[in-house]
Each structure stands twice: as C-alpha cells, then as structure tokens.
Amino acid sequence: MAEPPTYQQATNVPPQGYQPGYPSQQPPYPAQGYPSQGGYPAQPSPNTPLVIPGAAAYPSQPPQQPQQPYLDPQGNPTQNAAETGSAWQDDSGFTGNSFSDKAIRRAFIRKVYLILMTQLLVTCAFIAFFLFYHPANRWVKMNSWFYYLSYATFIVTYITLVCCPSVRRKSPGNYICLAVFTLAFSYMTATISSYYDSEIVLIAIGITAAVCLSITLFAIQTKVDFTLCSGLLFAGSMVLFFFGFACIIVYATIGPNYILRCVYGALAALLFSLFLAYDTQMLIGGRKHELSPEDYIFGALQLYLDIVYIFLIILSFFGGKD
C-alpha cells in the first residue's frame, strides 16, 4: 500500500533551502561586493538640475542676490538710478547720465517752469505796485537803506541755494529759501524800475519777453551744444566784470558817457542771452551736461536770474527819468 503524499507534495510547495531547477537566490550584486569606498552615494548639490527619466531637465535657477543700495561716487547711499533717472550727481549740479526716463524729464521741466512763472509774476507785481502806487514810489526813493538790505539778503540766499545742495534739495527748506530770494530780488528790481517812466518799463518787459522766448526756442531745437561753452561764458563774465570797473573809472573822472554805456549794455545783454541758452539746455537735457531731476530749484533760480538781468539791461538802454 502506497504512502499518502506529504503536505509539501500535495500543495506543490518547494522545500526550504536551495533546490535544483529554481532560480538562484543569490543577491544580484557583483561577486566582489560593495566598492571599497562604501557608504551612501554623494548627495547632489542644490543647484544640480533635476533629471526625470523621459523628461527634459529644467535649467538651474541662480540664487537671487539681495538688492544692494545705490551708492554715489563718494560712497553715500542714494536713490536708485532707475527710479530717479539719474545715475549720480556731484555737488555742482552736473551729471552725465541723467533723465533716462522721458516721463521724469517732462515732470522736471514742468515743475521748473511752474516755479519760474510764479517768480516772474511776483516780480511783475512788485514792479507794478511801485510804478503805479505813488506813495510806495516815493517811499522807495527816500529809503535807500532798504534796497541795500534786500541786496544783502539776495546775496546770502543766492550763495546758499547755489553752493549748498543739501539746502536746495530738501523740502520745504528749499522753497522757503527760494521765496526769500525772490522777494528780495523782486524788491531790488522794482526799486530800479521806479526810476523809469511806466511806458518805458512796459516796453522793456515786452522786449524781454520776446527775446527770452526766441532764445529759449532756439536753445531747444538747435544742434549746437551750449553746455560745452562754460569756459567761454566764464571768459565773457570776466571781460564784463573788468569792463564795468573801467566804466566806473571813466564815469568818476570824465562823467557819463552814453556810447560807453551802450557798449557795456550790449556786452551784458549778449552774455546773459548766452547764459539763458546754456541754462535752458541744462534744463531740457540731452546734452553733454544736464541738471539732475532733484535740482528743480537750481534750474528755476538760474533761469529767473537770466530773464530779470536781461530785463534790467534792456531797461538801462532807455535812460531813467531821474
């Protein structure tokens, strides 16, 4: 009688251990074992691109650096050049990389001419008051000390605004200083105008407006760069300065000389017309030198002085009534 099959034969389960005919149970590693270095493989760096089988690898993104504050040539932190439109500016008000944005330039020009028109309106109001209000006209002529006081105020405020960039760029101190300067110089101009007939003053104002408008339009559209003529303007200023001393000596020794006065007035008118063209191109930009958008007070100040000086020079050609 045959013996019944065992449990392993009935269930067709191979016995424990290695049996011939079955696949090898040896691990799929090389016979030599692990490499001699051992340990886990090196971890990839954070900048190593992630490679996915069957997909293109994404390019690695460089780590973003924190934005550093913009520094001027002296190492002082300042505003970003892309926001202000000016790479840097020195204490003299000149820069070689201003107005990179046209919108900044237009806003700067609009602000300067708005300030300039306000100054000219104040000056015209002073002149009209002293011309047509006779008690004020008599008071001005009898109290010359106030003219010299206003002249001293004009000198102090002008030097402060021109030589101190921290003053002319910081609001509201720059507006206050400019207002004091405008009032002092307007009083001086009105005092000088009070010695002339009202018709002559009105004619001089009209001629000044026409001359300044034509020079401004010429300076804007011409290809001639007047900002390169700073040396010529300095030489002309020195000639006019010493020629004025010569006129004073002639006046003290010989007396008034109409021809000498006309020559002096013509030279002064020509010089300040060149200054007006120079300052206009500095304001408009696109030249060798141009003003920073932060110097709107400086730009309005220079244009105002040029225009008023041209008016006084034209007025001197007519001769006073006193």
Side-chain angles (χ1 to χ4, degrees):
M1 181 174 181
E3 295 180 359
T6 63
Y7 174 78
Q8 291 181 351
Q9 293 175 351
T11 57
N12 199 19
V13 175
Q16 296 293 331
Y18 174 75
Q19 297 293 334
Y22 283 89
S24 173
Q25 300 296 326
Q26 298 295 330
Y29 299 115
Q32 293 81 3
Y34 291 102
S36 58
Q37 289 79 4
Y40 294 98
Q43 297 295 329
S45 63
N47 295 330
T48 303
L50 177 62
V51 179
I52 301 176
Y58 291 98
S60 60
Q61 298 293 335
Q64 296 183 356
Q65 299 294 333
Q67 186 177 4
Q68 300 295 330
Y70 186 78
L71 303 178
D72 60 8
Q74 288 77 26
N76 301 319
T78 183
Q79 295 181 354
N80 192 292
E83 297 176 356
T84 61
S86 174
W88 63 272
Q89 181 187 10
D90 58 12
D91 293 338
S92 62
F94 295 100
T95 177
N97 195 19
S98 296
F99 296 126
S100 59
D101 191 351
K102 292 183 179 180
I104 298 176
R105 182 189 310 204
R106 287 193 295 266
F108 172 74
I109 295 172
R110 183 167 56 250
K111 181 183 293 186
V112 168
Y113 277 103
L114 181 61
I115 297 173
L116 176 63
M117 293 304 299
T118 304
Q119 291 178 287
L120 293 177
L121 288 176
V122 171
T123 304
C124 290
F126 269 76
I127 294 174
F129 180 74
F130 289 152
L131 277 180
F132 299 107
Y133 187 64
H134 298 289
N137 191 300
R138 289 193 298 268
W139 186 89
V140 166
K141 295 177 182 178
M142 295 177 60
N143 297 272
S144 59
W145 63 270
F146 202 80
Y147 174 85
Y148 295 106
L149 178 62
S150 62
Y151 189 83
T153 305
F154 155 74
I155 292 294
V156 172
T157 52
Y158 179 75
I159 294 177
T160 302
L161 289 172
V162 172
C163 300
C164 300
S166 59
V167 175
R168 68 171 181 259
R169 296 178 185 175
K170 188 175 181 180
S171 180
N174 53 359
Y175 287 104
I176 296 175
C177 192
L178 183 65
V180 174
F181 167 84
T182 304
L183 293 175
F185 197 62
S186 296
Y187 180 84
M188 293 171 54
T189 306
T191 302
I192 297 173
S193 301
S194 64
Y195 287 89
Y196 293 82
D197 293 324
S198 58
E199 295 82 2
I200 293 177
V201 174
L202 294 177
I203 292 174
I205 291 176
I207 296 175
T208 302
V211 170
C212 294
L213 180 61
S214 60
I215 292 176
T216 301
L217 294 178
F218 173 76
I220 292 175
Q221 61 84 32
T222 185
K223 295 182 179 179
V224 179
D225 191 355
F226 284 96
T227 63
L228 297 176
C229 304
S230 55
L232 177 63
L233 294 177
F234 175 78
S237 301
M238 292 297 99
V239 171
L240 186 67
F241 179 77
F242 290 108
F243 188 76
F245 273 109
C247 292
I248 293 174
I249 295 174
V250 172
Y251 181 83
T253 55
I254 301 177
N257 191 315
Y258 180 75
I259 297 178
L260 195 62
R261 188 178 68 178
C262 289
V263 172
Y264 180 81
L267 291 176
L270 177 61
L271 179 63
F272 282 103
S273 298
L274 292 176
F275 269 114
L276 180 59
Y278 177 87
D279 293 330
T280 300
Q281 288 190 348
M282 288 277 292
L283 170 68
I284 300 300
R287 309 291 175 166
K288 178 66 175 179
H289 301 289
E290 53 191 22
L291 289 176
S292 167
E294 300 175 352
D295 278 331
Y296 50 91
I297 295 294
F298 181 81
L301 173 69
Q302 293 300 103
L303 292 177
Y304 172 72
L305 283 179
D306 296 336
I307 294 174
V308 177
Y309 276 136
I310 291 174
F311 164 72
L312 294 177
I313 292 168
I314 294 176
L315 189 63
S316 66
F317 282 109
F318 293 97
K321 64 181 180 181
D322 297 329

